[in-house]
Amino acid sequence: MPDYHAVVWTRRIEGPLKMGDLLVTPQETRFSYTDDFLALGSDDLLGAAGLSLLSSPRLYGRNPVVFPAREGMPLHPRLLALIPGEGRRNIQRQIYTRLLERQPNAPAPGFDMDWALLLLTGYNGIGHLDVFRDDRAALAAYAQAQPTLPTPGNRSPGNRSRFWNAIRDDVALDVTLMDAEAIAELLGPTPSAGGMIPKLLVAIPDAHSDSGTWDGSFARPGTRTVNGKPFVDVVLKIEPMEYQGVAELEALCLQLHREAGFVVPRSWRATLDGLELLAVERFDRDANGFPLPMETFYSVFATGNRRFTTNQDTDLAEVGRWLEKLGSVVNLDVRAVQREFYRRLCFAVCTGNGDLHLQNVAFLGGPGNVTIAPVFDPAPMRAWPRHDVRFAVPLDFDDSVGGLHENLIALGTAYGLTRAQAQETLQQSLDQTRDYAQRVEALATVPAERRERLIGVVRKERAVLENAKETTAMMKDNQARSPR
Ligand SMILES: Nc1ncnc2c1ncn2[C@@H]1O[C@H](COP(=O)(O)OP(=O)(O)O)[C@@H](O)[C@H]1O
Ligand SMILES: [Mg+2]
């Protein structure tokens, strides 16, 4: 394989700034910061957020960041996250692979194609990194005025339904039918976001409410207004056939987290041309539309640990201790992040979300000031047999400690909690999800079989947790009463 060159830029309030030069060989990723970027200095906390939390200008300065390639990670993990996912469900991969294949010098399947996809769609994606072939391409992209009109939402209804029909063919995996040009033409080379559910990054009219419905009109990501109406950037998730009901279930779980006081992005539902959609406000953009650094736990873990390639290469207690260590190289309120993640885990158990893996939790901000990103993707995937596991990252279960209840409490201590605090967090989660089963039961688009399965799972977990609690209380009570 040849060497691959690219440049990384970022969009800042005072204008676009080149961050560094990138060289990728079969052996490694090398990245060097520009003098201009290093000149930002550490006073400028967000500005100093470079390639990745553990590959920051603070840690590397003029030395190149070097990431040795390994199985499944041919590229620095933070950059890998910008390439449209391998999954057959990734809309951007489907569309742009088809378009690139038709070019005279079509990239070869494999890394060559991945690289071409990165250069085509690596701009305006999740987080603050923009990847381009060279500086000229960067300047050309930034010079393009933000498109306001015409936008797909404003075009003739004929065009709009051609767009949604194309998306529907894609979501149905009917690639032979898919009208790739219809999507490409209307959206341009849009960036992608990882994950399993097909999604688009777009802007929709700002409904100014926490949740509710939306009329289905949209524009390119970054669009601030259309005809004077404010627009907001969202991750638009499109329900695929084999996960029928997931949009409504995820919307419910977002709402449940909101009610319990978690920080949760606004979200809106729509049913359009037979597609079930869920739009979630992007939290990696500030109020003026400028990007905030964002990186999943997975990416940070993979950068810092050579052995790590999947969520199975660690366990939940190690994640807790690892957060502690991270606190010594970045400015992070370790206790707050540990408490928050532990609480999300308890909620995941109570809502049948077996999918709280390290790509479903992220850091927001740069090394000068970083925190845990708001809740995203809390979908209760245990409704599907294929995903019916209690924890996506293993819990090192110790029988001598006791059952699920005792092991969960013990886990709390790896997150800096006392047993009493862990117990209280778990109890709160149980209380705040008390009517969850009833609310699942009431969801119209979720097939009965999925609802029954999920409710069954959740009731069983509650029974295990609540019985164990009673047993512990009874034992304590007996001990207290027995004569000394
Ligand atoms: N509201 C959001 N703002 C910014 N980035 C987001 C948001 N929601 C999701 N993401 C990013 O997009 C990726 C995929 O989204 P996710 O909701 O996890 O989709 P899936 O259900 O397909 O796993 C996440 O890993 C995260 O990096
Ligand atoms: Mg996800």
mmCIF file of all heavy atoms in Angstrom, residues 123-139:
data_model
loop_
_atom_site.group_PDB
_atom_site.id
_atom_site.type_symbol
_atom_site.label_atom_id
_atom_site.label_comp_id
_atom_site.label_asym_id
_atom_site.label_seq_id
_atom_site.Cartn_x
_atom_site.Cartn_y
_atom_site.Cartn_z
ATOM 1 N N TYR A 123 -15.355 16.026 6.571
ATOM 2 C CA TYR A 123 -15.468 17.450 6.893
ATOM 3 C C TYR A 123 -16.837 17.698 7.529
ATOM 4 O O TYR A 123 -17.851 17.206 7.028
ATOM 5 C CB TYR A 123 -15.280 18.239 5.580
ATOM 6 C CG TYR A 123 -15.778 19.661 5.570
ATOM 7 C CD1 TYR A 123 -15.484 20.525 6.618
ATOM 8 C CD2 TYR A 123 -16.543 20.145 4.508
ATOM 9 C CE1 TYR A 123 -15.937 21.830 6.593
ATOM 10 C CE2 TYR A 123 -16.998 21.442 4.476
ATOM 11 C CZ TYR A 123 -16.699 22.285 5.528
ATOM 12 O OH TYR A 123 -17.159 23.569 5.511
ATOM 13 N N ASN A 124 -16.835 18.444 8.650
ATOM 14 C CA ASN A 124 -18.092 18.788 9.335
ATOM 15 C C ASN A 124 -18.750 17.570 9.997
ATOM 16 O O ASN A 124 -19.960 17.535 10.166
ATOM 17 C CB ASN A 124 -19.070 19.449 8.349
ATOM 18 C CG ASN A 124 -19.932 20.481 9.057
ATOM 19 O OD1 ASN A 124 -19.752 20.740 10.249
ATOM 20 N ND2 ASN A 124 -20.890 21.040 8.347
ATOM 21 N N GLY A 125 -17.952 16.577 10.356
ATOM 22 C CA GLY A 125 -18.487 15.389 11.020
ATOM 23 C C GLY A 125 -18.619 15.597 12.523
ATOM 24 O O GLY A 125 -18.611 16.735 13.004
ATOM 25 N N ILE A 126 -18.708 14.490 13.275
ATOM 26 C CA ILE A 126 -18.829 14.571 14.735
ATOM 27 C C ILE A 126 -17.495 15.049 15.318
ATOM 28 O O ILE A 126 -16.451 14.485 15.026
ATOM 29 C CB ILE A 126 -19.187 13.186 15.323
ATOM 30 C CG1 ILE A 126 -20.499 12.645 14.732
ATOM 31 C CG2 ILE A 126 -19.243 13.236 16.843
ATOM 32 C CD1 ILE A 126 -21.748 13.364 15.137
ATOM 33 N N GLY A 127 -17.564 16.091 16.132
ATOM 34 C CA GLY A 127 -16.348 16.625 16.747
ATOM 35 C C GLY A 127 -15.767 17.774 15.933
ATOM 36 O O GLY A 127 -16.432 18.315 15.047
ATOM 37 N N HIS A 128 -14.502 18.121 16.214
ATOM 38 C CA HIS A 128 -13.955 19.356 15.651
ATOM 39 C C HIS A 128 -12.886 19.137 14.581
ATOM 40 O O HIS A 128 -12.230 20.072 14.171
ATOM 41 C CB HIS A 128 -13.394 20.218 16.781
ATOM 42 C CG HIS A 128 -12.122 19.676 17.380
ATOM 43 N ND1 HIS A 128 -11.988 18.365 17.774
ATOM 44 C CD2 HIS A 128 -10.932 20.264 17.636
ATOM 45 C CE1 HIS A 128 -10.770 18.177 18.245
ATOM 46 N NE2 HIS A 128 -10.108 19.317 18.178
ATOM 47 N N LEU A 129 -12.688 17.893 14.129
ATOM 48 C CA LEU A 129 -11.645 17.642 13.124
ATOM 49 C C LEU A 129 -12.220 17.627 11.716
ATOM 50 O O LEU A 129 -13.225 16.979 11.460
ATOM 51 C CB LEU A 129 -10.981 16.281 13.385
ATOM 52 C CG LEU A 129 -10.337 16.044 14.751
ATOM 53 C CD1 LEU A 129 -9.716 14.651 14.789
ATOM 54 C CD2 LEU A 129 -9.289 17.113 15.058
ATOM 55 N N ASP A 130 -11.558 18.341 10.809
ATOM 56 C CA ASP A 130 -11.919 18.293 9.396
ATOM 57 C C ASP A 130 -10.703 17.781 8.631
ATOM 58 O O ASP A 130 -9.612 18.339 8.759
ATOM 59 C CB ASP A 130 -12.271 19.697 8.874
ATOM 60 C CG ASP A 130 -13.569 20.229 9.483
ATOM 61 O OD1 ASP A 130 -14.428 19.406 9.864
ATOM 62 O OD2 ASP A 130 -13.720 21.466 9.576
ATOM 63 N N VAL A 131 -10.894 16.719 7.858
ATOM 64 C CA VAL A 131 -9.773 16.116 7.118
ATOM 65 C C VAL A 131 -9.921 16.417 5.631
ATOM 66 O O VAL A 131 -11.015 16.271 5.070
ATOM 67 C CB VAL A 131 -9.749 14.582 7.330
ATOM 68 C CG1 VAL A 131 -8.579 13.952 6.579
ATOM 69 C CG2 VAL A 131 -9.653 14.261 8.809
ATOM 70 N N PHE A 132 -8.827 16.859 5.013
ATOM 71 C CA PHE A 132 -8.847 17.170 3.575
ATOM 72 C C PHE A 132 -7.610 16.588 2.903
ATOM 73 O O PHE A 132 -6.603 16.332 3.555
ATOM 74 C CB PHE A 132 -8.836 18.688 3.350
ATOM 75 C CG PHE A 132 -10.000 19.411 3.968
ATOM 76 C CD1 PHE A 132 -9.850 20.074 5.180
ATOM 77 C CD2 PHE A 132 -11.242 19.424 3.349
ATOM 78 C CE1 PHE A 132 -10.921 20.746 5.755
ATOM 79 C CE2 PHE A 132 -12.317 20.093 3.922
ATOM 80 C CZ PHE A 132 -12.154 20.762 5.137
ATOM 81 N N ARG A 133 -7.730 16.455 1.575
ATOM 82 C CA ARG A 133 -6.607 15.966 0.761
ATOM 83 C C ARG A 133 -5.396 16.882 0.925
ATOM 84 O O ARG A 133 -4.280 16.433 1.110
ATOM 85 C CB ARG A 133 -7.075 15.955 -0.708
ATOM 86 C CG ARG A 133 -6.087 15.535 -1.731
ATOM 87 C CD ARG A 133 -6.728 15.550 -3.127
ATOM 88 N NE ARG A 133 -7.994 14.796 -3.140
ATOM 89 C CZ ARG A 133 -8.063 13.472 -3.180
ATOM 90 N NH1 ARG A 133 -6.955 12.770 -3.222
ATOM 91 N NH2 ARG A 133 -9.224 12.854 -3.177
ATOM 92 N N ASP A 134 -5.628 18.200 0.828
ATOM 93 C CA ASP A 134 -4.539 19.171 0.971
ATOM 94 C C ASP A 134 -5.122 20.511 1.403
ATOM 95 O O ASP A 134 -6.335 20.649 1.532
ATOM 96 C CB ASP A 134 -3.740 19.296 -0.345
ATOM 97 C CG ASP A 134 -4.650 19.561 -1.531
ATOM 98 O OD1 ASP A 134 -5.680 20.233 -1.345
ATOM 99 O OD2 ASP A 134 -4.348 19.082 -2.644
ATOM 100 N N ASP A 135 -4.250 21.498 1.597
ATOM 101 C CA ASP A 135 -4.719 22.792 2.090
ATOM 102 C C ASP A 135 -5.653 23.485 1.099
ATOM 103 O O ASP A 135 -6.582 24.189 1.504
ATOM 104 C CB ASP A 135 -3.523 23.699 2.411
ATOM 105 C CG ASP A 135 -2.691 23.123 3.558
ATOM 106 O OD1 ASP A 135 -3.252 22.340 4.356
ATOM 107 O OD2 ASP A 135 -1.484 23.437 3.638
ATOM 108 N N ARG A 136 -5.415 23.261 -0.174
ATOM 109 C CA ARG A 136 -6.290 23.893 -1.172
ATOM 110 C C ARG A 136 -7.709 23.396 -1.047
ATOM 111 O O ARG A 136 -8.669 24.158 -1.104
ATOM 112 C CB ARG A 136 -5.767 23.613 -2.579
ATOM 113 C CG ARG A 136 -4.982 24.799 -3.072
ATOM 114 C CD ARG A 136 -4.578 24.762 -4.488
ATOM 115 N NE ARG A 136 -5.327 23.888 -5.371
ATOM 116 C CZ ARG A 136 -4.903 23.563 -6.578
ATOM 117 N NH1 ARG A 136 -3.764 24.041 -7.000
ATOM 118 N NH2 ARG A 136 -5.607 22.768 -7.348
ATOM 119 N N ALA A 137 -7.839 22.098 -0.857
ATOM 120 C CA ALA A 137 -9.179 21.516 -0.704
ATOM 121 C C ALA A 137 -9.846 22.071 0.555
ATOM 122 O O ALA A 137 -11.057 22.345 0.564
ATOM 123 C CB ALA A 137 -9.092 19.996 -0.635
ATOM 124 N N ALA A 138 -9.041 22.271 1.614
ATOM 125 C CA ALA A 138 -9.596 22.812 2.866
ATOM 126 C C ALA A 138 -10.129 24.216 2.629
ATOM 127 O O ALA A 138 -11.282 24.531 2.963
ATOM 128 C CB ALA A 138 -8.519 22.835 3.946
ATOM 129 N N LEU A 139 -9.283 25.063 2.007
ATOM 130 C CA LEU A 139 -9.690 26.454 1.793
ATOM 131 C C LEU A 139 -10.913 26.533 0.884
ATOM 132 O O LEU A 139 -11.820 27.333 1.116
ATOM 133 C CB LEU A 139 -8.515 27.255 1.225
ATOM 134 C CG LEU A 139 -7.372 27.427 2.245
ATOM 135 C CD1 LEU A 139 -6.126 28.025 1.586
ATOM 136 C CD2 LEU A 139 -7.819 28.278 3.436
#
